Amino acid sequence: MPRAGLDPAAVVAAGAALADEVGPADVTMGLLAERVGVRTPSLYKHVSGLGDLNRRIAALALSEAADAVGGAVRGRAGRDALAAAARAFRAFVVAHPGRYAATIGVEPSAPDDPLAVAGRRLLDAFTAVLRGYAIDESDMDHALRMLRSLCHGFATLQAADGFQWSADVDESFEWLIAFADRGLRAG
């Protein structure tokens, strides 16, 4: 019988928190079982194994990032939307580096896979930002990749303490937003 209060969502949430602490590569079923106070075999009542857990953590992270970015851009356009989206995404990745790292390289198995659904929601939020610029529909994929690369690169470098020189990281990020805005307006 599963432990009271322990269900798949609680197991995934605990796994995501653990990934943020130790990194997704160091999450094990044994370590997670210890964290939630059960024996390792009990976890298999909630997830089918480490691969399933990692996919669920990735889906959770994409959904949380989509909520953060989507909420930040609501009612905004142009540079204001760009800045809000970039800041929200950066804040999410810096606060949750392990669960975000779990999203990289994981592919959805079907269009209704929770990974695909959450990924589309995040992509839709960034697409909404780009609608505030005069970007040809044929260039939208390129613009999305550029925007994701800028935000992802900066946030993951910051989360890994990759900016160790004297310039203020927040000033650098604002410079990145201004640079992206100029580029997007230039088309």
Side-chain angles (χ1 to χ4, degrees), residues 4-156:
L6 195 61
D7 60 17
V11 169
V12 172
L18 188 58
D20 287 338
E21 292 173 31
V22 302
D26 291 330
V27 172
T28 65
M29 295 298 276
L31 191 57
L32 179 57
E34 184 179 308
R35 173 64 57 93
V36 297
V38 299
R39 293 181 21 169
T40 303
S42 297
L43 291 178
Y44 293 93
K45 296 173 183 161
H46 306 291
V47 295
S48 65
L50 193 55
D52 181 35
L53 175 66
N54 289 335
R55 289 182 63 75
R56 290 177 188 225
I57 290 170
L60 174 66
L62 287 172
S63 183
E64 291 172 340
D67 289 345
V69 174
V73 303
R74 197 165 290 113
R76 299 177 190 264
R79 187 187 191 293
D80 288 341
L82 173 65
R87 290 179 191 130
F89 185 81
R90 174 186 171 213
F92 175 79
V93 173
V94 169
H96 303 292
R99 70 185 71 192
Y100 176 71
T103 69
I104 308 305
V106 180
E107 293 191 27
S109 59
D112 63 341
D113 181 333
L115 278 169
V117 173
R120 276 193 305 274
R121 287 183 48 238
L122 182 56
L123 201 58
D124 289 348
F126 279 113
T127 300
V129 169
L130 294 174
R131 295 268 181 245
Y133 294 91
I135 298 171
D136 288 338
E137 198 59 38
S138 63
D139 289 331
M140 191 59 76
D141 283 345
H142 305 303
L144 282 165
R145 287 180 179 140
M146 179 275 305
L147 186 54
R148 176 165 187 231
S149 297
L150 287 175
C151 294
H152 164 86
F154 196 101
T156 55

